[in-house]
Amino acid sequence: MEQPVSVGRAGRSLGEAPGALEALVGEALTARITLDEHGTVTGWNAGAEQLLGYVSGQMTGRRAADLLAEPIPVRGGMPALAGLPRWSGDVALRHRDGRKLTVRILAHHREPGTGPRAWLIVSALTGPRPRAGLDESLVSWSFAQSPCCALAIYDTRLRLRRANADMERSTALTEEEMLGLRVSEIVDDDAGERAERGMARVLRTGEPEYQENYLRAPGEDHEHAWSVFLSALRDHDGTVQGVCLSAHDMTEQFWARKRLQLIAEAGRRIGSTLDVTRTAQELADVTVPALADFVGVDLLEALDDVAEPPAHAVPANGPLRLRRAALRSVTPGAPESAVAAGQVDTYPPGSAPFESLRTGRPALHEVSDPEFAGWLARDPVRAARVRAFGIHSVMTVPLAARGATLGVAFFVRYRSAETFHHDDLVLAGELAARAAVSIDNARRYTRERATAVTLQRSLLPQRLPRQAAVEVASRYLPAGGRAGVGGDWFDVIPLSGARVALVVGDVVGHGLHASATMGRLRTAVRTLADIDLPCDELLTHLDDLVARLNREEEGERGAAEPSGAGDVGATCLYAVYDPVSRSCCFAGAGHPVPAVVSPDGAVELVGLPAAPPLGVGGLPYEATEIDIPEGSLLALYTNGLIENRDRDIDAGVHRLREALARPATSLDALCDTVLSDLLTRRPADDVALLIARTRALDADHVATWAVPADPSAVAQTRKDVVAQLARWGLSDAVFVTELVVSELVTNAIRHAEPPIQLRLIHDTTLICEVSDGGSTAPHLRRARSYDEGGRGLLLVAQLTERWGTRQSATGKTIWAEQTLPLL
């Protein structure tokens, strides 16, 4: 009988010494023999030598069959034995001295990660012989000190002495077959080795130990999760006499916890972006290898072309066309996939994805199922992949959200021996439902953003109009991330008298509403600019428009939403530059002030009176006029350029001034410099930038006459105009110009008030302006047959490119513009 192990300094020293475990368990108490796949002896320990009388050198390399005294009684013969993962039974062996021995053995068929298969054969030399009542005492102590579960009692040599019925079921071995064996010999697995090391520590310290092990018993297709409790068994004197191993099957709780963890992980990782393909890939990434060995996410091809999924996603007579949006595999490169990422595949009626989408329910398949096998028979490529990788279990789960069918997800197992179960199908359905909502959100966002971008770009100037007052370059950069398309805009509007209007605005918010509002405001600005309203008056009219839009939206919402929700808000900067006077008028409505760069490179901000954004009302807008030297730069921009989360507006303005002061080869190059210096990453808000270099018309291109308020002065005025046209070399324009001057001057003398002034501007066009002190604007009318007048202004409109009138503080100006032939 082995001596009991007392807990103390000596016991701890013994357990911690090198080779202490081998000395404790008594290596010679078990006969251990290893065989290769052909039955040749490759290992022979001292226990085997004691059992059969042969030393290791005599048996290594010999056939194990030479030791048999009788054939092994295996049903079906040796081929059946070779296919078993484990075998136990009585075997008749021949001792070296010729004696026949009947030995109970346990044979493990090993499948190491590398190298050939092999057999491990063990037999306990101590056998099941009882030892003077100790076994009965161990059993008594175990039931007194351990909970009711799968129990096994081990002695101080860590040899099994007793096992209850639950332990027999968990190992698929009887107590008789396990008697005298170590736990690492009963369970040929890392879990057995770990449990044995824990038992040795329990013997040393007397302290209990808890472990979690995952094992698959022979004949089962899935692993069990075991909660293992190792405790010392003591006699009445407190001396450790053995170890009790109690194990609770926690498989259901373990998988429930794993499923909850996977659902939580999916909630964290799926839908992190508003990108359809990325979201589909996140579903595949989160479920491999946690749930499946391969996952493919296929979306309806029809989703590529229409704003909404079709009403009947699955055609009644097929085929079904799906695009592989994402895939993930435990094998690098996903060679088991019959469809590459981005590729469209066709699925006929009766195929697994077709039927799953047709019914709208997830489905569980084994490749041996008749319906699944029938589909594979019609798809040789997919069938070849199934055979090559040993695919045995498949789930198809529809992707649907908000009543719309989006596609289907494939879950495949081949490396994992366990087939999918109903709980796996429920879990896959939950994950697919979460992913489908995120995919639908991404799809809707992508389409709305594309629509908004298209709308916004259609509303922005496609090309800047021809005009000679300024040289212009611009940049527009839409917001990145989740912000969506905003309402920033810019414009260049030619005005009468060779002047030009420069506009930059920003509608509050993002998306289609902001883009549509921007389009309405831009149209309004162009309309108000066309009637030559002064800068401050134009913003006042624009403010009235925004206020009216707010009232209309409040009327549509009614009392359903709180006041102020969704109100239209905007800022705007309006500037008019006159190349003749070389002055520029500015007016702003809550917008960042413009910058002026003088020809010597000095950068100054234009000081504008503080003014509220458009739509607020209550305060008047004021205009500021400054003289600008020829060759200066005007920089107009939106707040997205100078303001972001990392810096305040003052720091942004400072960096803008530094960038504008830097020499550049062209205005386009200067725009690029400004953007690169101020935007280190994709902006969170839209950015509009407009830079203009001023030009000037010198006195040689402008002629001005004061006209007396006397009809006789018309003839002399015509002569002066003809002479001026001759000096400019515009003899081809004499006829039309004489007629226009005569009509406009005559109307001013007859119907307006002095002072009257005529001005000709020779630019890319020829502009004729007549100013007077009256406030009544002329208008076209249809002259009757016998009317003596009323046709002059109609002739002016027909003979010139365009004409119009503008008001001033002292009167009005009537102008007409003629195109000139290109030289």
Side-chain angles (χ1 to χ4, degrees):
M1 175 177 175
E2 294 88 346
Q3 294 299 317
V5 177
S6 298
V7 178
R9 185 182 303 274
R12 287 195 296 272
S13 300
L14 174 63
E16 294 171 359
L21 179 60
E22 288 74 10
L24 174 66
V25 300
E27 186 68 18
L29 295 178
T30 302
R32 296 169 61 95
I33 304 170
T34 57
L35 311 177
D36 64 15
E37 193 67 6
H38 303 290
T40 302
V41 177
T42 59
W44 189 272
N45 76 337
E49 178 181 349
Q50 181 179 343
L51 177 65
L52 297 175
Y54 295 97
V55 298
S56 176
Q58 293 174 315
M59 290 304 301
T60 302
R62 292 182 56 183
R63 295 175 61 249
D66 295 340
L67 297 173
L68 294 176
E70 295 176 1
I72 298 177
V74 181
R75 290 184 180 181
M78 293 301 294
L81 177 61
L84 294 175
R86 188 178 66 185
W87 182 85
S88 64
D90 293 336
V91 177
L93 301 177
R94 188 70 65 186
H95 193 273
R96 182 183 180 188
D97 60 8
R99 288 181 293 120
K100 176 182 175 181
L101 300 175
T102 300
V103 180
R104 186 180 70 251
I105 70 169
L106 177 60
H108 298 282
H109 205 174
R110 287 178 163 178
E111 293 187 44
T114 58
R117 292 161 60 101
W119 285 91
L120 168 65
I121 300 174
V122 295
S123 178
L125 300 186
T126 55
R129 295 185 299 274
R131 298 176 300 165
L134 177 59
D135 291 347
E136 289 76 12
S137 297
L138 286 173
V139 171
S140 176
W141 297 328
S142 71
F143 280 100
Q145 303 176 32
S146 299
C148 181
C149 56
L151 290 175
I153 307 301
Y154 292 83
D155 59 23
T156 54
R157 293 289 187 173
L158 301 186
R159 303 288 174 165
L160 185 134
R161 308 315 303 170
R162 291 300 302 269
N164 69 355
D166 285 344
M167 183 61 72
E168 290 180 325
R169 283 191 292 270
S170 68
T171 60
L173 293 169
T174 66
E175 183 185 63
E176 185 73 15
E177 291 169 330
M178 293 185 288
L179 278 178
L181 295 178
R182 299 158 53 184
V183 66
S184 60
E185 296 167 345
I186 298 170
V187 179
D188 188 31
D189 187 89
D190 289 342
E193 299 285 349
R194 193 155 65 92
E196 192 169 67
R197 290 192 295 270
M199 292 164 67
R201 285 190 293 270
V202 170
L203 282 179
R204 289 199 315 269
T205 66
E207 297 296 328
E209 183 167 323
Y210 174 80
Q211 296 181 356
E212 288 188 3
N213 292 330
Y214 309 97
L215 297 172
R216 178 184 290 110
E220 292 187 326
D221 61 352
H222 66 281
E223 283 188 334
H224 285 261
W226 293 97
S227 174
V228 179
F229 193 80
L230 305 172
S231 58
L233 298 177
R234 306 172 188 272
D235 61 13
H236 296 294
D237 298 328
T239 303
V240 175
Q241 299 287 355
V243 179
C244 175
L245 184 153
S246 59
H248 296 265
D249 190 346
M250 307 293 290
T251 304
E252 291 301 323
Q253 296 90 327
F254 169 76
W255 285 111
R257 186 169 69 244
K258 294 286 286 186
R259 293 185 183 100
L260 288 175
Q261 290 174 348
L262 186 57
I263 290 174
E265 181 72 4
R268 184 180 66 85
R269 294 175 56 183
I270 297 177
S272 62
T273 65
L274 288 172
D275 180 84
V276 172
T277 303
R278 176 71 178 274
T279 303
Q281 187 62 52
E282 288 168 345
L283 171 61
D285 291 344
V286 82
T287 50
V288 175
L291 179 61
D293 297 326
F294 169 81
V295 171
V297 181
D298 290 4
L299 301 180
L300 294 173
E301 184 190 26
L303 295 180
D304 298 340
D305 305 317
V306 296
E308 290 295 331
H312 304 287
V314 182
N317 300 319
L320 175 66
R321 293 177 61 83
L322 298 173
R323 184 183 302 279
R324 179 60 52 86
L327 53 84
R328 181 67 182 270
S329 171
V330 294
T331 304
E336 69 272 42
S337 178
V339 184
Q343 182 179 347
V344 175
D345 200 9
T346 301
Y347 298 93
S351 62
F354 187 98
E355 295 303 317
S356 190
L357 285 182
R358 184 182 64 82
T359 61
R361 295 191 297 271
L364 184 61
H365 312 274
E366 293 188 19
V367 295
S368 58
D369 294 341
E371 297 82 2
F372 201 88
W375 170 41
L376 293 181
R378 301 192 302 272
D379 192 337
V381 174
R382 189 170 270 104
R385 303 293 174 89
V386 169
R387 290 192 299 270
F389 289 90
I391 295 173
H392 57 80
S393 188
V394 177
M395 293 188 296
T396 53
V397 183
L399 297 171
R402 302 180 180 93
T405 300
L406 306 174
V408 63
F410 297 84
F411 300 84
V412 175
R413 278 184 181 171
Y414 60 89
R415 181 175 294 182
S416 173
E418 183 178 353
T419 60
F420 287 120
H421 297 283
H422 176 72
D423 289 344
D424 298 317
L425 191 64
V426 172
L427 176 60
E430 173 68 20
L431 298 177
R434 290 170 178 256
V437 172
S438 296
I439 290 173
D440 190 55
N441 289 341
R443 181 187 62 81
R444 292 171 181 270
Y445 168 79
T446 299
R447 295 197 179 280
E448 179 176 338
R449 179 176 172 82
T451 303
V453 169
T454 301
L455 172 63
Q456 187 178 43
R457 293 195 181 280
S458 68
L459 296 175
L460 290 173
Q462 302 304 306
R463 65 171 63 89
L464 298 178
R466 287 185 58 194
Q467 44 76 41
V470 292
E471 176 191 357
V472 179
S474 62
R475 292 292 185 272
Y476 172 77
L477 194 62
R482 296 175 179 262
V485 176
D488 290 18
W489 91 92
F490 63 89
D491 213 343
V492 178
I493 308 172
L495 301 177
S496 63
R499 298 170 304 139
V500 64
L502 306 175
V503 190
V504 172
D506 183 1
V507 175
V508 175
H510 296 88
L512 285 173
H513 183 269
S515 294
T517 303
M518 177 269 285
R520 299 174 75 172
L521 296 184
R522 177 173 179 261
T523 301
V525 170
R526 294 186 70 90
T527 301
L528 295 173
D530 194 53
I531 59 176
D532 268 318
L533 284 180
C535 297
D536 49 353
E537 291 187 25
L538 183 142
L539 288 185
T540 299
H541 283 283
L542 204 60
D543 179 67
D544 293 339
L545 171 62
V546 174
R548 186 164 60 252
L549 292 177
N550 282 330
R551 289 194 296 271
E552 291 175 358
E553 291 200 358
E554 288 178 0
E556 292 176 0
R557 289 194 307 267
E561 295 183 22
S563 178
D567 287 348
V568 176
T571 65
C572 184
L573 178 67
Y574 185 75
V576 175
Y577 173 69
D578 187 344
V580 177
S581 64
R582 303 176 190 179
S583 64
C584 189
C585 176
F586 297 94
H591 200 85
V593 297
V596 178
V597 185
S598 63
D600 60 5
V603 181
E604 297 293 339
L605 299 179
V606 179
L608 299 182
L614 299 172
V616 174
L619 293 175
Y621 294 100
E622 300 181 30
T624 299
E625 188 167 345
I626 62 173
D627 293 331
I628 297 180
E630 181 180 6
S632 299
L633 298 181
L634 299 177
L636 288 69
Y637 49 90
T638 56
N639 64 341
L641 180 66
I642 59 173
E643 184 180 7
N644 58 40
R645 293 187 298 269
D646 300 330
R647 64 166 183 260
D648 57 21
I649 294 180
D650 292 338
V653 170
H654 178 72
R655 294 185 63 174
L656 174 63
R657 297 179 65 171
E658 290 181 341
L660 290 174
R662 195 170 304 162
T665 57
S666 65
L667 292 185
D668 283 318
L670 181 58
C671 287
D672 294 336
T673 298
V674 171
L675 293 183
S676 62
D677 282 5
L678 274 78
L679 304 177
T680 57
R681 58 172 178 262
R682 189 72 179 269
D685 194 7
D686 286 11
V687 172
L689 173 65
L690 184 65
I691 298 181
R693 177 178 285 116
T694 61
R695 294 169 176 165
L697 290 176
D698 54 32
D700 293 339
H701 290 78
V702 180
T704 306
W705 298 273
V707 179
D710 185 348
S712 62
V714 175
Q716 183 58 44
T717 301
R718 284 200 302 268
K719 293 180 182 179
D720 294 338
V721 167
V722 171
Q724 184 62 52
L725 293 179
R727 286 192 291 271
W728 284 341
L730 300 178
S731 56
D732 292 342
V734 168
F735 174 74
V736 173
T737 306
E738 271 193 295
L739 190 149
V740 170
V741 168
S742 295
E743 177 62 27
L744 297 184
V745 170
T746 300
N747 284 344
I749 293 174
R750 288 181 177 179
H751 306 293
E753 300 177 5
I756 300 172
Q757 178 180 281
L758 169 64
R759 184 170 71 165
L760 293 183
I761 302 174
H762 178 203
D763 191 16
T764 55
T765 60
L766 180 62
I767 303 170
C768 176
E769 296 182 344
V770 175
S771 302
D772 58 58
S775 59
T776 303
H779 61 277
L780 290 175
R781 66 182 180 89
R782 183 179 298 276
R784 292 185 292 271
S785 299
Y786 298 104
D787 286 349
E788 295 182 359
R791 299 178 178 84
L793 201 54
L794 179 62
L795 288 176
V796 170
Q798 293 296 321
L799 294 174
T800 58
E801 181 70 18
R802 59 193 187 114
W803 75 280
T805 180
R806 64 175 182 267
Q807 299 290 331
S808 66
T810 58
K812 67 176 181 298
T813 299
I814 312 298
W815 56 269
E817 186 174 336
Q818 304 175 54
T819 57
L820 297 176
L822 297 177
L823 299 179

